[in-house]
Amino acid sequence: MKWTLVAFTLALAPPGAALAQDTADAIGDADRGAKVFRKCTGCHQVGSDASNRAGPHLNGIFGRRAGSIEGFDYSKAMDRAHDDGMVWDIEHLDAYIENPRALVSGTRMSFRGLKDPQDRHDVLAYLRQFTANPQDIPESAPTAVAREVELPPEILAIVGDAEYGEYLASECLTCHQSDGADAGIPSITRWHPEDFVVAMHAYKRKLRPHPVMQMMAGRLSDEEIAALAAYFENLE
Amino acid sequence: MKFNRRAFIGTAAAAASMVAPMVRAQGKPRVVVIGGGAGGATAARYIAKDSKGEIDVTLIEPTRTYYTCFFSNLYIGGFRDLQSIAHTYATLASEYGINVVHDYATGVDRDAKTVALAGGGRVSYDRLIISPGIDFIDGAVPGWDVSAQDVMPHAYKAGTQTALLKSQIEAMPQGGTYVMVAPPNPYRCPPGPYERISMVAHVLKEKNPTAKIIIADPKAKFSKQALFEEGWQKHYGGMIERIGPDFGGENVSVRPDTMEVDVDGEVIKADVVNVIPAQKAGHICEAASLTEGNWAPVDGHTMQSRLDENIHVLGDATNQGDMPKSGFSANSQAKVAAMAVRGALTGSRVFPAKFSNTCWSLISTDDGIKVGASYAATDEKIAKTDGFISATGEDAALRKATYEESIGWYEGITSDMFG
């Protein structure tokens, strides 16, 4: 999929960015996105009077480091994403609103996610209007090419070999504790297998930011990830 | 340190059972593990845990309290106390049924498949796992031998040596000089000497800000060099001087009686001299004729010795290929060996060997860095497949998170070793 931005280059482009029009397409339909955003307004505000509510305000969200609004009480998991250097570029925003817990496992954002890609693109197009500095369109990170965190059903359908998972897990347990303790390093026990599989693929595709996990996940096959999910699901 | 009455009885009973030599459980295959560190303790625990009583496991380790080398620098720097890096074998005995024998293994009869103990008696094995760590090469630093370690400590095996070095550093006169004689490759924990320098500087900056730190180093380059040098400049500007091989850092001798260090003809009068000599496999490898050169060659698929298929060698003592000599590596190798041993003795499933390593280092308060890699076994060696390293110029939040992650890892790996 290609992220594109004609709508903004027309509306917001400063001098010098005009050339981008030729190669850019729209993220989505911002007007339609304004309607989709109503699902979010219970917790999030955006615009000139926006303030933090149950969720942080979304002004300047594009290019903002995750968990970086002063004074907002983020979950431990979002603090960790901040410390790991995660930045809300368009691909991370897309992955997050598709399934918040797949990207940031312990997030307090209790929203089931927008499964329809068009809904996500439209709402992101809407939100993009509230981030300053649009002159970086389309070359910079906020508009980098997206990768889907959505996995093909055949990957999610793999039945994990828990016995193989037990061997593979021994490598995880050098850092992650088998009793679920989570000081400094997150707990990975007793996750729903689908969450586990999606999270590992997000590392494998380098969507999640942590270098150790990107390396560890990077060499695991789809079957091996399923095996680990099957093992950790039932670890007492 | 975990210790309780039930666990204590477990250890005592296990030790008592070893007074009579050649006692063996009828019919059960027997694994003997020499060395209770990151390799040996992990291997013993995984074999006992995963074989669910089908394999009889004996762990031979001289010390009752084990101090981890990893994080011992943080003790020197005042970030941990000594108790926090101390561990016992009580849980391995009581919860996992491992026979923990506190004695020295002095030799291996590879034909009879027995291990001789310093306290007398022999222990027989079907498979032997040796994870003895390192010993120092005699004469590597002229003027120094192990008898000088109470004057010029190495502190490269944790415990009393580490405590001695820490007390020497804290007793330095104002404006005094600390000299480290750094080891040549290969050696245990590649970033270890440089993390130690950081921790010594951290202590001296507080207590003794006019003191000097000198490193005599035979290596042109060292692990995480750009990261350490950036951090030293930032936190300890001007305090640390490194003399590399260009300036005679490989031509060093010491005089423990006068506390002098001769670096390529220039004599430095020092208050603390920390000599980390060149290293070789722990003595038992040589005694069992399992070494070629200074190290024990192994097959990465199973960690079997290339000289005896009934013996697996783990950790620092091995020549295996690309993995650094580290506690993390030994722990990783132990799991491959445990799987291979169970497969050979009980027919359990065997999977392709996977290895990984990460080394965290602390430069100053909340300034943590890391380097790591993944590995796979080939017929020739354990070969690196991927890797990463912290970047220079990272922000404070990421460095703090890296340090906190290292604390989490310490809890993880020590639980993985000792239960």
Side-chain angles (χ1 to χ4, degrees), chain B residues 43-305:
Chain B
R45 178 170 166 268
Y46 271 77
I47 292 169
K49 172 172 78 73
D50 294 340
S51 71
K52 299 177 174 67
E54 284 183 40
I55 296 176
D56 190 56
V57 182
T58 297
L59 176 63
I60 302 170
E61 161 61 41
T63 64
R64 286 173 186 277
T65 302
Y66 180 87
Y67 295 91
T68 57
C69 253
F70 42 95
F71 274 32
S72 65
N73 283 332
L74 272 57
Y75 158 66
I76 291 172
F79 292 92
R80 306 280 292 208
D81 62 32
L82 199 55
Q83 275 307 305
S84 78
I85 61 167
H87 303 270
T88 74
Y89 299 91
T91 307
L92 292 183
S94 64
E95 300 291 327
Y96 296 90
I98 294 167
N99 309 308
V100 181
V101 180
H102 292 299
D103 201 345
Y104 280 97
T106 54
V108 179
D109 183 334
R110 284 165 41 184
D111 296 323
K113 297 210 276 186
T114 59
V115 176
L117 300 175
R122 291 177 172 277
V123 190
S124 64
Y125 63 83
D126 296 300
R127 284 287 171 119
L128 176 62
I129 295 174
I130 307 185
S131 189
I134 50 127
D135 271 316
F136 301 115
I137 295 175
D138 291 336
V141 178
W144 192 94
D145 61 29
V146 172
S147 71
Q149 71 177 10
D150 293 340
V151 181
M152 293 184 169
H154 54 79
Y156 231 59
K157 298 179 184 182
T160 54
Q161 275 280 298
T162 327
L164 173 63
L165 180 63
K166 182 176 170 68
S167 66
Q168 287 185 348
I169 292 161
E170 287 169 354
M172 276 169 64
Q174 288 298 308
T177 301
Y178 163 100
V179 179
M180 171 186 283
V181 180
N185 290 321
Y187 62 94
R188 162 179 283 180
C189 189
Y194 309 98
E195 180 186 60
R196 174 169 299 169
I197 291 294
S198 308
M199 293 295 96
V200 173
H202 176 77
V203 170
L204 293 178
K205 188 182 173 186
E206 288 282 308
K207 298 187 174 177
N208 194 344
T210 56
K212 282 185 304 201
I213 295 172
I214 297 171
I215 315 163
D217 200 333
K219 302 181 294 299
K221 297 184 296 181
F222 62 86
S223 172
K224 302 180 190 162
Q225 183 164 359
L227 295 162
F228 278 117
E229 289 179 346
E230 177 192 56
W232 293 346
Q233 192 60 40
K234 179 180 173 191
H235 300 293
Y236 315 117
M239 185 178 255
I240 300 164
E241 179 193 356
R242 177 168 167 270
I243 305 169
D246 294 357
F247 295 92
E250 87 292 10
N251 183 20
V252 175
S253 62
V254 297
R255 294 165 206 153
D257 50 340
T258 55
M259 287 300 282
E260 288 173 323
V261 182
D262 182 321
V263 182
D264 205 29
E266 188 193 335
V267 176
I268 302 165
K269 183 88 174 107
D271 300 290
V272 177
V273 182
N274 179 192
V275 178
I276 308 173
Q279 296 162 22
K280 61 181 180 179
H283 171 72
I284 188 71
C285 289
E286 220 173 321
S289 303
L290 295 169
T291 52
E292 284 176 356
N294 291 322
W295 310 101
V298 293
D299 176 351
H301 295 294
T302 57
M303 299 306 295
Q304 275 164 303
S305 165

Side-chain angles (χ1 to χ4, degrees), chain B residues 287-346:
Chain B
S289 303
L290 295 169
T291 52
E292 284 176 356
N294 291 322
W295 310 101
V298 293
D299 176 351
H301 295 294
T302 57
M303 299 306 295
Q304 275 164 303
S305 165
R306 293 206 187 266
L307 305 176
D308 188 331
E309 64 179 13
N310 294 314
I311 300 177
H312 302 245
V313 189
L314 304 178
D316 295 351
T318 58
N319 175 10
Q320 35 68 25
D322 296 346
M323 295 184 81
K325 299 184 184 301
S326 74
F328 197 125
S329 293
N331 170 268
S332 178
Q333 293 162 10
K335 293 161 186 174
V336 170
M339 174 184 63
V341 165
R342 286 199 302 119
L345 297 181
T346 66

Side-chain angles (χ1 to χ4, degrees), chain B residues 18-33:
Chain B
M18 292 313 302
V19 171
M22 303 296 286
V23 175
R24 64 178 295 176
Q26 288 297 319
K28 272 191 198 177
R30 244 191 120 144
V31 172
V32 173
V33 181

